[in-house]
Amino acid sequence: MSVIQVVGGRPLNGSLRIQGAKNSVLPILAATLLVKGETVITNCPNLSDVDAAIAILNHIGCKAGREGESVIVDSRTVTRADVPHELMSEMRSSVIFMGAMLARMGEAKLSLPGGCELGPRPVDMHMSALRALGAEIEETGGNIVGIAKKLTGCNVNFRFPSVGATENAMLAACGADGVTVITNAAREPEICDLADFLRKLGMDVQGEGTPTIMVRGRPQSAHIIHRIIPDRIVAATYLAAAAAAGGEVELIGVNPEHVMSAIEIFREMGCHITESGDRLTVKSSGSLKPAKAIETQPYPGFPTDMQPPIMAAALKCAGTTVFVENIFENRYRHAEEMRRLGADIKIEGRVAIVTGGKKLAGAPVKATDLRGGAALVVAALWAEGITEVSGIAYIDRGYDNITGSLGKLGASIERVL
Ligand code: EPZ
């Protein structure tokens, strides 16, 4: 079992280009099913989740593959409408393929996405949106089976602005007759990137980034190129690494607006952050002070995915930092592993109270999920001595070459088989 081994205590200095956004690539790969054509998606990160999505497209009958930083999908032929359990289980968010498959083939059979490290991952809002558009959906024997002889535009309202459910509704609406209006829609930048892509396919999409999105499907054959937006969560992770380890790091190819809530936190902690176009430069002495309470909320609130890496930086802040996790039920599992490094973190339901400023000592720790694993690497950068992070398959789902990136900035870090 390979591990990431870090010798802590070294500052980070240099420049790093930020990868394309995992959570934008996945729905856009699903959206390639909506037209019969060839799509070139550029700025695609090299991640196991992207490989899983490519495998699903090939299983369905498309021809999909990676060419350098691009993924090319020929969706002219599709031969089947099922996604087997072994492919679904690799990536829980594969449920995002349902809306596009119903729009393209009128049917879809997926195995129920299991819960994951963050707690139960229900898909009730996905299914209610697809049923509202005219799909008949049954959950039997661990599978979700959907049939849609015809999809008809309608009003879809979400009780909570679910990212995945909003994306599934947008994708299915592209195959519906008439107009679909989605209210209380998610507003994440990845939703806006999907809308940009759908317009390139010929669809009429308006309102993305606001709570109300209108979709009118006009599928056309397409040969298009689309560049994925930068990954704001990965950018925030490397900001946390530089803040905690100390040094001066320039991130290239970022959208500062998408990481503004994290930038504000790091400035409160005492970092100096400057923005110039698509570049962010962070300077940190490595001694930090606590920021105000951090409450995760749907975008444009503080992103839940940034909570774990920023908690790793909060361990360096001399004083108390309070976190409130409002999005997922079980998103503090990394705290238990951080305690193995000597962290003082008290969890009371959705609240985590971090008392930082204490020395951390390197130790073997285990990634419990994607962002929690990255947070352990951030903490290891400044823990004294050697930290070995296992369970790194979680990290590889979302971070393209995290060891090479941090090593380039001066960290003593390597993947040990
Ligand atoms: C997306 O997950 C992201 N994943 C997650 O990133 C991110 O944490 C999350 O949005 C919130 O921003 C991808 O985009 C692939 P939700 P998603 O539907 O769509 C509940 C990462 O680390 N819910 O907005 O699954 C759900 O249980 C990952 O990159 C229902 O109850 O998130 C959760 O508590 C982790 N019923 C809340 O809503 C539903 O039908 C938010 O979930 C759907 C969701």
Side-chain angles (χ1 to χ4, degrees), residues 156-182:
V156 171
N157 180 60
F158 288 122
R159 60 177 163 77
F160 177 88
S162 157
V163 172
T166 300
E167 291 163 346
N168 243 333
M170 290 167 73
L171 293 169
C174 289
D177 291 340
V179 176
T180 297
V181 178
I182 305 168

Tab-separated table of all heavy atoms in Angstrom, residues 156-182:
chain	number	residue	atom	x	y	z
A	156	VAL	N	-39.037	23.036	-11.616
A	156	VAL	CA	-38.395	22.149	-10.636
A	156	VAL	C	-37.922	23.030	-9.482
A	156	VAL	O	-37.211	24.014	-9.708
A	156	VAL	CB	-37.172	21.426	-11.267
A	156	VAL	CG1	-36.380	20.683	-10.193
A	156	VAL	CG2	-37.622	20.469	-12.373
A	157	ASN	N	-38.370	22.698	-8.268
A	157	ASN	CA	-37.925	23.487	-7.115
A	157	ASN	C	-37.189	22.580	-6.120
A	157	ASN	O	-37.651	21.471	-5.828
A	157	ASN	CB	-39.122	24.133	-6.402
A	157	ASN	CG	-38.648	24.951	-5.196
A	157	ASN	OD1	-37.870	25.887	-5.351
A	157	ASN	ND2	-39.053	24.549	-4.007
A	158	PHE	N	-36.053	23.024	-5.625
A	158	PHE	CA	-35.267	22.203	-4.680
A	158	PHE	C	-35.439	22.735	-3.264
A	158	PHE	O	-35.387	23.940	-3.028
A	158	PHE	CB	-33.798	22.211	-5.071
A	158	PHE	CG	-33.502	21.413	-6.317
A	158	PHE	CD1	-32.914	22.005	-7.424
A	158	PHE	CD2	-33.850	20.068	-6.405
A	158	PHE	CE1	-32.660	21.276	-8.577
A	158	PHE	CE2	-33.599	19.327	-7.555
A	158	PHE	CZ	-33.000	19.941	-8.642
A	159	ARG	N	-35.584	21.808	-2.312
A	159	ARG	CA	-35.700	22.218	-0.902
A	159	ARG	C	-34.349	22.725	-0.391
A	159	ARG	O	-34.232	23.447	0.563
A	159	ARG	CB	-36.187	21.060	-0.031
A	159	ARG	CG	-35.274	19.828	-0.025
A	159	ARG	CD	-35.792	18.736	0.927
A	159	ARG	NE	-35.185	17.439	0.661
A	159	ARG	CZ	-33.960	17.089	1.024
A	159	ARG	NH1	-33.199	17.938	1.689
A	159	ARG	NH2	-33.482	15.896	0.719
A	160	PHE	N	-33.284	22.274	-1.094
A	160	PHE	CA	-31.910	22.676	-0.745
A	160	PHE	C	-31.151	22.824	-2.056
A	160	PHE	O	-31.360	22.026	-2.975
A	160	PHE	CB	-31.267	21.593	0.132
A	160	PHE	CG	-29.826	21.892	0.466
A	160	PHE	CD1	-29.494	22.664	1.579
A	160	PHE	CD2	-28.794	21.448	-0.360
A	160	PHE	CE1	-28.177	22.975	1.858
A	160	PHE	CE2	-27.476	21.749	-0.082
A	160	PHE	CZ	-27.163	22.512	1.025
A	161	PRO	N	-30.298	23.805	-2.223
A	161	PRO	CA	-29.606	24.010	-3.506
A	161	PRO	C	-28.533	22.946	-3.730
A	161	PRO	O	-27.332	23.222	-3.644
A	161	PRO	CB	-29.009	25.411	-3.374
A	161	PRO	CG	-28.849	25.631	-1.916
A	161	PRO	CD	-29.936	24.866	-1.244
A	162	SER	N	-28.976	21.734	-4.039
A	162	SER	CA	-28.056	20.613	-4.271
A	162	SER	C	-27.304	20.809	-5.588
A	162	SER	O	-27.907	21.013	-6.639
A	162	SER	CB	-28.871	19.307	-4.356
A	162	SER	OG	-28.162	18.320	-5.076
A	163	VAL	N	-25.978	20.690	-5.537
A	163	VAL	CA	-25.152	20.851	-6.747
A	163	VAL	C	-25.491	19.753	-7.746
A	163	VAL	O	-25.854	20.021	-8.892
A	163	VAL	CB	-23.657	20.823	-6.380
A	163	VAL	CG1	-22.788	20.801	-7.638
A	163	VAL	CG2	-23.303	22.016	-5.494
A	164	GLY	N	-25.410	18.516	-7.322
A	164	GLY	CA	-25.620	17.396	-8.245
A	164	GLY	C	-27.028	17.341	-8.783
A	164	GLY	O	-27.255	17.080	-9.965
A	165	ALA	N	-28.005	17.631	-7.910
A	165	ALA	CA	-29.399	17.564	-8.368
A	165	ALA	C	-29.675	18.689	-9.374
A	165	ALA	O	-30.389	18.483	-10.363
A	165	ALA	CB	-30.343	17.657	-7.175
A	166	THR	N	-29.081	19.868	-9.135
A	166	THR	CA	-29.239	20.966	-10.102
A	166	THR	C	-28.658	20.563	-11.452
A	166	THR	O	-29.273	20.753	-12.505
A	166	THR	CB	-28.525	22.239	-9.587
A	166	THR	OG1	-29.103	22.619	-8.332
A	166	THR	CG2	-28.639	23.392	-10.571
A	167	GLU	N	-27.477	19.935	-11.425
A	167	GLU	CA	-26.831	19.509	-12.677
A	167	GLU	C	-27.650	18.442	-13.381
A	167	GLU	O	-27.855	18.500	-14.601
A	167	GLU	CB	-25.410	19.001	-12.370
A	167	GLU	CG	-24.473	20.112	-11.939
A	167	GLU	CD	-23.206	19.615	-11.248
A	167	GLU	OE1	-23.140	18.417	-10.846
A	167	GLU	OE2	-22.274	20.423	-11.098
A	168	ASN	N	-28.180	17.473	-12.614
A	168	ASN	CA	-28.991	16.419	-13.237
A	168	ASN	C	-30.242	17.004	-13.878
A	168	ASN	O	-30.633	16.617	-14.988
A	168	ASN	CB	-29.380	15.360	-12.193
A	168	ASN	CG	-28.791	13.983	-12.537
A	168	ASN	OD1	-28.538	13.674	-13.703
A	168	ASN	ND2	-28.553	13.192	-11.522
A	169	ALA	N	-30.867	17.963	-13.181
A	169	ALA	CA	-32.080	18.595	-13.739
A	169	ALA	C	-31.737	19.364	-15.016
A	169	ALA	O	-32.450	19.285	-16.030
A	169	ALA	CB	-32.689	19.532	-12.701
A	170	MET	N	-30.599	20.082	-15.013
A	170	MET	CA	-30.206	20.844	-16.225
A	170	MET	C	-29.972	19.891	-17.397
A	170	MET	O	-30.399	20.145	-18.523
A	170	MET	CB	-28.926	21.643	-15.941
A	170	MET	CG	-29.101	22.812	-14.994
A	170	MET	SD	-27.523	23.482	-14.405
A	170	MET	CE	-26.928	24.319	-15.884
A	171	LEU	N	-29.310	18.752	-17.117
A	171	LEU	CA	-28.968	17.820	-18.198
A	171	LEU	C	-30.223	17.162	-18.765
A	171	LEU	O	-30.408	17.068	-19.981
A	171	LEU	CB	-27.979	16.768	-17.672
A	171	LEU	CG	-26.597	17.325	-17.299
A	171	LEU	CD1	-25.774	16.284	-16.543
A	171	LEU	CD2	-25.845	17.792	-18.545
A	172	ALA	N	-31.125	16.736	-17.890
A	172	ALA	CA	-32.366	16.107	-18.384
A	172	ALA	C	-33.212	17.130	-19.133
A	172	ALA	O	-33.809	16.823	-20.169
A	172	ALA	CB	-33.140	15.523	-17.202
A	173	ALA	N	-33.221	18.365	-18.624
A	173	ALA	CA	-34.042	19.422	-19.263
A	173	ALA	C	-33.585	19.681	-20.698
A	173	ALA	O	-34.371	20.092	-21.552
A	173	ALA	CB	-33.963	20.706	-18.443
A	174	CYS	N	-32.318	19.383	-20.988
A	174	CYS	CA	-31.813	19.578	-22.359
A	174	CYS	C	-32.466	18.596	-23.335
A	174	CYS	O	-32.434	18.807	-24.536
A	174	CYS	CB	-30.303	19.385	-22.396
A	174	CYS	SG	-29.408	20.730	-21.598
A	175	GLY	N	-33.055	17.538	-22.790
A	175	GLY	CA	-33.732	16.554	-23.672
A	175	GLY	C	-35.238	16.675	-23.606
A	175	GLY	O	-35.959	15.807	-24.099
A	176	ALA	N	-35.716	17.743	-22.938
A	176	ALA	CA	-37.170	17.885	-22.747
A	176	ALA	C	-37.759	18.823	-23.792
A	176	ALA	O	-37.078	19.708	-24.294
A	176	ALA	CB	-37.437	18.426	-21.339
A	177	ASP	N	-39.055	18.591	-24.087
A	177	ASP	CA	-39.772	19.555	-24.943
A	177	ASP	C	-40.170	20.742	-24.070
A	177	ASP	O	-40.693	20.549	-22.963
A	177	ASP	CB	-41.058	18.909	-25.488
A	177	ASP	CG	-40.718	17.799	-26.483
A	177	ASP	OD1	-39.583	17.818	-27.000
A	177	ASP	OD2	-41.559	16.900	-26.671
A	178	GLY	N	-39.891	21.948	-24.556
A	178	GLY	CA	-40.332	23.112	-23.786
A	178	GLY	C	-39.294	23.579	-22.785
A	178	GLY	O	-38.166	23.080	-22.740
A	179	VAL	N	-39.750	24.497	-21.932
A	179	VAL	CA	-38.837	25.194	-21.036
A	179	VAL	C	-38.889	24.595	-19.635
A	179	VAL	O	-39.967	24.244	-19.142
A	179	VAL	CB	-39.240	26.694	-20.943
A	179	VAL	CG1	-38.363	27.436	-19.935
A	179	VAL	CG2	-39.130	27.331	-22.324
A	180	THR	N	-37.735	24.445	-19.013
A	180	THR	CA	-37.658	24.029	-17.606
A	180	THR	C	-37.098	25.192	-16.798
A	180	THR	O	-36.106	25.804	-17.204
A	180	THR	CB	-36.749	22.797	-17.458
A	180	THR	OG1	-37.340	21.707	-18.178
A	180	THR	CG2	-36.589	22.397	-15.984
A	181	VAL	N	-37.775	25.498	-15.674
A	181	VAL	CA	-37.279	26.539	-14.771
A	181	VAL	C	-36.936	25.874	-13.440
A	181	VAL	O	-37.783	25.227	-12.819
A	181	VAL	CB	-38.328	27.648	-14.555
A	181	VAL	CG1	-37.797	28.692	-13.564
A	181	VAL	CG2	-38.671	28.312	-15.896
A	182	ILE	N	-35.676	25.989	-13.055
A	182	ILE	CA	-35.194	25.379	-11.799
A	182	ILE	C	-35.079	26.482	-10.760
A	182	ILE	O	-34.381	27.483	-10.996
A	182	ILE	CB	-33.819	24.704	-12.005
A	182	ILE	CG1	-33.876	23.677	-13.146
A	182	ILE	CG2	-33.340	24.044	-10.709
A	182	ILE	CD1	-32.503	23.187	-13.613
